[in-house]
């Protein structure tokens, strides 16, 4: 793996042409121009607005969960008083993140907090939902951060999303899962993140920023592995060697998906759509890779696929139905958007 070592050592000894003492040539935004922490394009405004929609739902979600369940219910799920303080602190972090992005966008044009609807009735399901929501919150930003025109804004957003990654891992620990069964965190496109987020937003203030991103038709893994049912060997802890994985290669995923043209999102003002043809594959975005499995179509909008035998398929990942299997790498995930028939949905392994 390291045949380059000798070359690197020799290069290090050779004189390096410097821009100034101790300043190697190259780099961007490293001169004395004062940074401007504002969007520089519609792409920036729309990406940052999406991130703000995400921060606001997290803020609401953590408060909602803390208020909805009693102390007894939390205790019964082994979420202690100190754990609950950590949850409260996470909500405070979201206030900070929402303020940050609001200031980048400008308070007049930044979207405001909305009303939400959540699919859980128990503490375990609240924690599981939070684990998944923070996964697409984090991955949704990694998908566009490197494409922003405003590198200064990207700097600030990165420093907030680093916190979000920690939250996601803590939710896995609250669930009793292995905290991070991956080497790399995947990035997804804005349209993928918005597809996952929009169904939980019921209504927003009048004039809230309308997002330009696409809402793909919904995808449901009807037999999705469910971490909240695995209580006995899954009490909250820094880590567990899980005796049985949530899922493993060879598992069948049963899938149902919606036809396009459904109204979704705040005030039902968005409409699902697809640019793709007939579904042929299931795309799996996990760690650095996008890989594909064959889709077996059972009837209209119902089918199945098999979890591939790849070690990078682990943790909470993104699966979607596609009409083709183009080669995708982390810097060009957006090339997949036009091939999405439905999804993404979140799939749990590890
Ligand atoms: C949220 O819902 C409440 C109660 O229905 C309503 O009064 C309020 O206007 C809604 N707020 C937003 C931002 O949609
Ligand atoms: C929404 O925008 C319209 C047109 O700019 C304006 O007249 C109205 O007051 C705005 N409503 C709110 C709640 O900001
Ligand atoms: C997904 O499928 C499961 C199992 O049939 C069902 O319980 C659940 O309501 C479905 N979810 C959605 C969002 O349709
Ligand atoms: C997981 O299982 C629990 C308990 O049966 C159920 O309440 C919950 O809805 C399931 N979660 C998902 C995401 O299907
Ligand atoms: C709570 O956690 C302890 C270990 O800290 C474990 O022994 C116990 O079984 C857990 N209780 C539940 C309900 O999971
Ligand atoms: C945890 O799992 C690893 C990898 O399978 C194994 O090497 C190790 O012995 C396990 N440790 C315990 C305490 O179960
Ligand atoms: C899941 O898919 C498999 C393989 O296509 C099929 O045999 C099975 O009947 C499906 N299960 C359900 C519950 O639809
Ligand atoms: C949603 O999109 C479909 C086509 O995908 C179109 O037929 C329908 O009129 C649209 N509905 C709304 C409310 O925009
Ligand atoms: C997954 O990504 C790694 C690292 O980039 C690469 O070595 C490997 O070949 C990829 N696997 C697949 C199946 O694409
Ligand atoms: C996927 O489908 C292609 C084309 O029908 C076939 O050649 C290939 O063997 C299939 N792969 C698997 C793993 O079934
Ligand atoms: C699938 O949809 C087509 C067109 O709507 C319809 O003619 C056909 O009967 C459907 N097939 C099944 C198995 O539902
Ligand atoms: C996922 O990660 C866990 C924890 O490291 C490991 O035990 C498991 O074997 C991994 N799964 C796959 C399919 O590699």
């Amino acid at each position: 793996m390291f045949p380059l070592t000798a070359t690197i050592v020799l290069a290090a000894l050779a004189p390096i042409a410097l821009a100034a003492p101790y300043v190697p040539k190259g780099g961007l935004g490293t001169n004395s121009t004062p940074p401007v922490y504002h969007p520089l394009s519609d792409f920036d405004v729309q990406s940052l607005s999406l991130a703000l929609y995400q921060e606001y739902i997290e803020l609401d979600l953590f408060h909602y969960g803390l208020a909805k369940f009693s102390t007894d219910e939390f205790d019964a799920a082994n979420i202690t008083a100190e754990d609950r303080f950590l949850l409260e602190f996470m909500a405070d972090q979201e206030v900070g993140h929402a303020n940050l992005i609001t200031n980048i966008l400008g308070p007049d044009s930044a979207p405001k907090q909305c009303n939400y609807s959540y699919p859980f009735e128990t503490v375990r399901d609240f924690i599981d939902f939070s684990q998944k929501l923070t996964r697409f919150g984090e991955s949704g930003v990694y998908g566009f951060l490197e494409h922003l025109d405003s590198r200064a804004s990207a700097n600030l957003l990165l420093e907030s999303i680093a916190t979000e990654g920690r939250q996601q891992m803590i939710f896995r620990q609250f669930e009793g899962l292995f905290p991070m069964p991956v080497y790399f965190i995947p990035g997804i496109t804005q349209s993928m993140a918005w597809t996952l987020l929009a169904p939980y937003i019921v209504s927003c203030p009048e004039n809230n920023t309308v997002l330009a991103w696409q809402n793909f038709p919904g995808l449901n893994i009807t037999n999705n592995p469910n971490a909240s049912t695995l209580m006995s060997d899954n009490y909250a802890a820094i880590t567990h060697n899980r005796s049985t994985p949530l899922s493993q290669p060879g598992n069948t995923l049963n899938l149902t998906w919606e036809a396009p043209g459904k109204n979704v999102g705040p005030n039902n003002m968005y409409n699902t759509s697809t640019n793709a043809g007939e579904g042929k594959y299931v795309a799996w975005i996990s760690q650095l890779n996008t890989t594909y499995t064959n889709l077996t179509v059972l009837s209209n909008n119902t089918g199945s696929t098999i979890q591939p035998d790849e070690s990078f398929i682990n943790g909470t990942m993104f699966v979607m139905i596609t009409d083709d299997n183009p080669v995708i790498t982390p810097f060009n995930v957006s090339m997949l958007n036009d091939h999405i028939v439905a999804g993404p949905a979140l799939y749990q392994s590890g």
Side-chain angles (χ1 to χ4, degrees):
M1 180 153 179
F2 294 107
L4 294 177
T5 309
T7 323
I8 290 165
V9 169
L10 287 177
L13 293 174
I16 298 171
L18 297 170
Y22 309 109
V23 182
K25 287 182 180 171
L28 288 170
T30 58
N31 61 21
S32 59
T33 311
V36 178
Y37 297 101
H38 284 307
L40 296 175
S41 61
D42 289 345
F43 182 93
D44 287 5
V45 170
Q46 284 287 323
S47 301
L48 289 158
S49 295
L50 171 65
L52 185 49
Y53 270 95
Q54 176 78 30
E55 301 293 359
Y56 272 133
I57 195 174
E58 288 165 6
L59 169 57
D60 184 83
L61 170 65
F62 302 158
H63 280 153
Y64 175 87
L66 283 167
K68 179 178 173 70
F69 302 109
S70 67
T71 303
D72 286 350
E73 285 172 304
F74 275 111
D75 286 343
N78 261 354
I79 303 298
T80 66
E82 285 168 308
D83 296 333
R84 297 196 288 276
F85 174 70
L86 178 54
L87 269 168
E88 183 61 52
F89 192 79
M90 289 184 192
D92 297 344
Q93 292 173 326
E94 299 307 334
V95 175
H97 299 168
N99 284 339
L100 177 94
I101 304 175
T102 297
N103 287 332
I104 294 174
L105 286 167
D108 291 339
S109 48
K112 312 286 185 298
Q113 190 158 17
C114 303
N115 280 339
Y116 309 93
S117 149
Y118 301 117
F120 55 78
E121 292 297 333
T122 66
V123 171
R124 294 282 297 182
D125 290 343
F126 160 53
I127 300 294
D128 188 58
F129 181 74
S130 300
Q131 183 263 124
K132 288 172 174 155
L133 188 100
T134 48
R135 162 53 50 245
F136 65 72
E138 186 188 8
S139 291
V141 169
Y142 293 157
F144 71 69
L145 200 56
E146 62 283 3
H147 297 294
L148 289 176
D149 291 293
S150 170
R151 298 174 73 86
S153 302
N155 199 154
L156 296 182
L157 191 57
L158 173 63
E159 290 176 19
S160 50
I161 222 62
T163 313
E164 188 127 342
R166 287 162 168 80
Q167 293 174 351
Q168 200 275 342
M169 191 180 87
I170 287 165
F171 285 119
R172 286 187 65 93
Q173 292 172 314
F174 281 167
E175 284 190 286
L177 298 173
F178 194 77
M180 40 179 184
V182 291
Y183 293 180
F184 305 100
I185 307 297
I188 58 170
T189 65
Q190 297 96 333
S191 293
M192 293 175 193
W194 182 227
T195 297
L196 288 163
L197 170 59
Y200 304 112
I201 309 180
V202 177
S203 63
C204 292
E206 199 185 339
N207 295 353
N208 236 26
T209 314
V210 176
L211 293 184
W213 309 114
Q214 193 165 4
N215 294 90
F216 300 116
L219 171 65
N220 192 353
I221 305 166
T222 56
N223 60 348
N224 213 353
N226 186 334
S228 13
T229 58
L230 302 166
M231 194 71 190
S232 54
D233 62 345
N234 267 47
Y235 52 85
I238 289 175
T239 188
H240 283 292
N241 260 14
R242 292 205 20 80
S243 50
T244 46
L246 284 171
S247 68
Q248 48 201 323
N251 274 27
T252 297
L253 281 71
N254 290 82
L255 306 167
T256 62
W257 60 98
E258 294 169 352
K262 181 184 169 188
N263 293 328
V264 293
N267 311 93
N268 272 329
M269 66 181 287
Y270 296 86
N271 192 4
T272 62
S273 65
T274 169
N275 308 340
E278 206 183 316
K280 292 196 184 118
Y281 301 94
V282 173
W284 303 67
I285 302 182
S286 185
Q287 305 204 43
L288 300 177
N289 299 87
T290 297
T291 193
Y292 301 89
T293 53
N294 288 345
L295 173 70
T296 303
V297 177
L298 299 174
S299 68
N300 287 344
N301 299 343
T302 307
S304 67
T305 198
I306 309 280
Q307 181 176 334
D309 189 4
E310 298 281 6
S311 61
F312 64 81
I313 299 284
N314 214 332
T316 305
M317 72 202 76
F318 304 90
V319 301
M320 57 218 91
I321 294 178
T322 60
D323 67 353
D324 201 1
N325 58 353
V327 174
I328 297 293
T329 57
F331 198 63
N332 74 351
V333 181
S334 64
M335 296 300 113
L336 196 55
N337 281 344
D338 278 349
H339 295 289
I340 296 176
V341 175
L346 290 163
Y347 181 66
Q348 283 274 112
S349 188

